[in-house]
Amino acid sequence: MQLLALQKTYLQFLRTAVFLDGRSRLAQRLSSIGLQQWQSWRYTNSKIHSRGAKSKATIQLREIPQGILETTTPAQVREQDGPAYPMMIQQARNNMRKFADCVLLTRVGGFYELYFEHADIYGPLLNLKVAQKKTVVGLVPMAGFPCFQLDRFLKILVQDLNKFVAISEEFANSASGKVKSGGLMFDRKVTRIITPGTLIDEKFMNPYENNFLLAILPGQGKSQATLGQNLPGELRIGKLRSKSLGLAWLDLSTGDFFTQVIDMGNLSSALARIGPRETILGDDSANPLQQDILRLLEQDRHLVTHHSIHFELLSISSWRPMLETAVPPAEQSLFTHVEIAAGGLLLSYVKEKLLGLGLKLQPPVRRQGNESMAIDKNSLKGLEVLETVRDGSGGGKGSLLHSVRRTITKSGTRLLKDWMVSPSMSLQIINARLDLVSEFRHDEGLRGKITLLLGRTYDSQRLAQKFSMGRGEADDFISLLRTIEATNEIASTLEKQISTLNPNPDAFDVNTTTARPLRSLSSRLTLDGPNALARHIAATIDEDGLMQIHRAEDNNSAEMVTLAQGILLDEGSIDDKEAMSRIMSTKTASKKSTEQDAEEETWIMRKSASSALKSLHDTLDELYQQKAQLTSTLRDQLGAQSLSLRWSPGVGHICHIRGAKDVRTSLKTPANTRDARATKSTRSFYHPEWNSLGGNIDRTKFHIRAEEQRVFQELREQVVLQLVKLRRNAAVLDELDIACSFAALAQEQELVRPILNLTMEHKVAGGRHPTVKLGLEEQGRAFVSNDCFIGAKERIWFITGPNMAGKSTFLRQNALISILAQVGSFVPADHAEIGLVDRIFARIGSADNLYRDESTFMVEMLETAGILNQATPRSFVIMDEIGRGTTPEDGIAVGYACLHHLYHQNQCRALFATHFHALADMTKDFENLGCYCTDVAEGPDGSFTYVHRLRKGVNRQSHALKVARLAGIPESVIHTAHQVLESLRSKAQPPLEKATS
């Protein structure tokens, strides 16, 4: 009894400590007090008592195996390295050695504990008190936390510290197992290894981003890396550009699975596009090409893990047990050997980390380079497609993703991000997306209905995957039920709209084209199987019971708050007490309801979920009636109306009486009873009839729980059977979400539908930058739109103008308009006709990379080299300030050479902005190059305004001193700079002495 009471106290202390997480000194003291008391009692009151080198184990006779003993092969005794610890500690030690690359969390009752060096190293990082456990061989460091805080500490270990974590769970020992383990009730085995790339349903996962695990495998053949071992990494990679790599990546939380073949030169861009949380390489460390891959991964600060491939997974047919459906033989032939090898490496790693946990992935999708626009790493960063350069936060304010995102669902946001980094190259796909956006743009009522229904759905992609791995809970079933119900209403809404647009499908109608995108989307929804599943869920799960369970959990937390309040009154600061008083006001009201009837148990399954369950509940109701009758009988016999029949931990089934008067009147109890405990105001005693009846109630509850688990597992299996349909429906919902999002954006920002074709033209009238425009509007300023007509007549625009007059904005906005158009969105312009772009390149801004031994100019040249080597006639290139990182003469030479190569060799569409005005004279014979500029309008009083609208011509004034004055450069410095500038213009020596006097 004392042991159980103190264990509960330890849990309360730790929960209080976690609640007071921000107040570390008090939290540590609470944790320290609880841990020290618990450890002291736990090891002095256990069945094994320490007496120096001797020990004594006590077991019950019924625990000894009876009957014929099974013959077993003698297990090989392994020599233990070091001293022999108590069995539970030794189990943890063995697991630490077996999973040496992991942080081991061992389940002990209601806690997870760390031991030995793991406690010393990670205890302080997790803000846990490290205690010393006394054993016969000395002190063992340990630290622990309550089980309900597992996700919180996993986030720190896995997501923040990039550690691998092995979870060791408890398994009840059989009678023979207890004997072998020296009386331990539980055996402890590692059930799962959690790594940053193998997250499934952890609560700390970002719901708006995929959690990809990527495997990279070099193709066969000798590497040429030795040709330039002393050159910077990207220069060596340039020599390896033709070497093929196999990529395979998956998201365990959604079941998405992809493969692709790329060359070494595109690896960095692929990494930026995929954004893996963890990357796997083979164990062929002697391969020079793999060394270059590893070097690149480390430079980009990716988490890298080495793994040996399992040869039995080197064929797609061998992947079948891990896929929801088989890959057809015709599709299997499309995968290259290096892709299959990378996929085998990936699945081998996942299989090892999941330790036998079931896995059902979607069949692998083969990504091909020509099916989407390629946006390299530097362009993604320079154009701020996913994150801003300054903040570096994914989807942060100022990025293109943030500016255009109006999605409702989490999975829709993930799909939108994928579309943004891989715009389509298919006119059919793009126009189908634009047709859908047009329909929702013009029918605001339809969009409102669909958006409202999408808001009632849940992340069905991750829900379905969760069930496929046997991890779905009752709340997940309800979420799935609500999603299926919303999907039915969405399908019904779409069908009504289609009927309105085209009441006679067999007859031609002008609205047929309008109805086609809705019909195409609606036809992909499969409802029969999911609807049957929804009915089964509704008939099985008791939502009211589920809500009661959640309320009970909230009430338990209210008890912890009450405990914390008592401690804070003694030791807390004023701020602590104020914070606690605010929380208490929300928790006190709910606590009263917990003390009414703790005997009744809440069930998550309806009584009618199965015939066996109904029979068991009928039996339980009868037993409860007998209990009520027995209670009434005993109250009358003893004259104690306060009598109640209870079960108490460590005591059992007792009759409990409270109140001094009732205690006195109940002293004459029947002869077949015996006292359990008594005080002046309470009395408890055993009654044989209640013992028998209580035992029957307990056994019935046990059978109900077992039957609920059986029905629950059966329901999980029903979800798995509908996995393919659920995922297909989820994909339709995601596309609907994006279409409604783009339609709302188009209406809000007055965007227009772009016209896409197979020409090499880029005709944009009244183009606007999608993010800069929003930023200016927030400041109450207007954005100046600009035209851009690039094509056969003028393939390259040569742009000059003052600093801060909008050259870089103009360059970026046209690249972003191309991206949005091929994603399937309306674009910020008055009119847009765009020929498909296969690659977008952006050479913008300046930065060095000292860690990689690259100067500002080297970074600029590396990015420029990538453009000149890879741009095709269908590419779109923007270059800003090429050659500014060196002397003016060298810069002009480099700038001209780049222009010459773009014009004569690449022959692509390009916008080239510079302050090297001499380049305009040097390229006068480039017939398909047009010169345009921005300007400054100066007032008679010396004031000026920027003219952001481009005009034909060359502006040979950069007006740098005006920008310097706006930035707050001292006026004396401005004056000196002006004198020097005038002197340079007049080809005279600057009057240095006069300027400095």
Side-chain angles (χ1 to χ4, degrees), residues 886-903:
T886 184
T887 64
E889 293 81 6
D890 288 346
I892 291 172
V894 170
Y896 174 79
C898 291
L899 264 174
H900 187 277
H901 196 279
L902 287 172
Y903 187 87

Side-chain angles (χ1 to χ4, degrees), residues 344-549:
L345 176 65
L346 180 69
L347 295 180
S348 170
Y349 180 80
V350 169
K351 190 175 181 181
E352 178 182 289
K353 298 306 176 187
L354 294 183
L355 297 176
L357 187 65
L359 177 65
K360 290 296 179 183
L361 299 171
Q362 299 182 54
V365 176
R366 188 170 188 265
R367 288 282 179 90
Q368 299 183 56
N370 59 0
E371 68 183 14
S372 62
M373 176 198 292
I375 311 175
D376 71 315
K377 177 186 71 172
N378 300 317
S379 301
L380 279 175
K381 181 180 179 182
L383 295 173
E384 300 183 319
V385 175
L386 299 180
E387 60 187 29
T388 59
V389 175
R390 185 176 297 275
D391 296 334
S393 56
K397 190 173 183 179
S399 67
L400 179 64
L401 178 60
H402 178 270
S403 299
V404 304
R405 178 194 157 196
R406 303 293 185 275
T407 46
I408 301 297
T409 66
K410 299 178 179 67
S411 53
T413 303
R414 294 196 300 269
L415 181 62
L416 174 61
K417 181 180 177 182
D418 182 59
W419 285 8
M420 297 289 283
V421 297
S422 303
S424 178
M425 281 291 291
S426 168
L427 284 177
Q428 182 181 359
I429 292 175
I430 296 170
N431 285 322
R433 293 175 183 176
L434 291 172
D435 289 343
L436 202 57
V437 175
S438 295
E439 176 60 28
F440 288 122
R441 168 70 177 84
H442 294 118
D443 195 332
E444 191 173 350
L446 175 64
R447 186 177 79 238
K449 291 177 183 177
I450 297 297
T451 301
L452 184 64
L453 291 170
L454 286 171
R456 288 163 48 186
T457 66
Y458 292 81
D459 194 343
S460 48
Q461 290 279 13
R462 284 186 167 169
L463 279 174
Q465 182 65 7
K466 199 172 178 182
F467 281 109
S468 76
M469 304 185 76
R471 297 170 65 88
E473 302 299 336
D475 289 313
D476 300 319
F477 279 118
I478 299 301
S479 299
L480 194 58
L481 170 63
R482 296 290 172 259
T483 301
I484 296 173
E485 291 173 346
T487 304
N488 272 286
E489 294 189 48
I490 288 172
S492 176
T493 303
L494 293 177
E495 287 299 326
K496 288 179 181 177
Q497 183 68 13
I498 293 168
S499 300
T500 303
L501 293 172
N502 189 18
N504 186 4
D506 298 326
F508 176 79
D509 189 89
V510 69
N511 291 321
T512 302
T513 304
T514 306
R516 187 181 298 123
L518 294 179
R519 190 186 306 279
S520 173
L521 209 60
S522 177
S523 64
R524 290 165 52 196
L525 289 171
T526 307
L527 300 174
D528 292 342
N531 283 343
L533 174 63
R535 290 191 293 270
H536 194 180
I537 293 173
T540 302
I541 303 296
D542 186 351
E543 288 189 63
D544 293 335
L546 200 57
M547 291 176 63
Q548 290 182 33
I549 291 174

Side-chain angles (χ1 to χ4, degrees), residues 6 34-45:
L6 197 53
L35 189 60
Q36 291 168 359
Q37 290 183 350
W38 164 239
Q39 293 302 331
S40 174
W41 279 90
R42 181 176 169 194
Y43 289 100
T44 56
N45 290 274

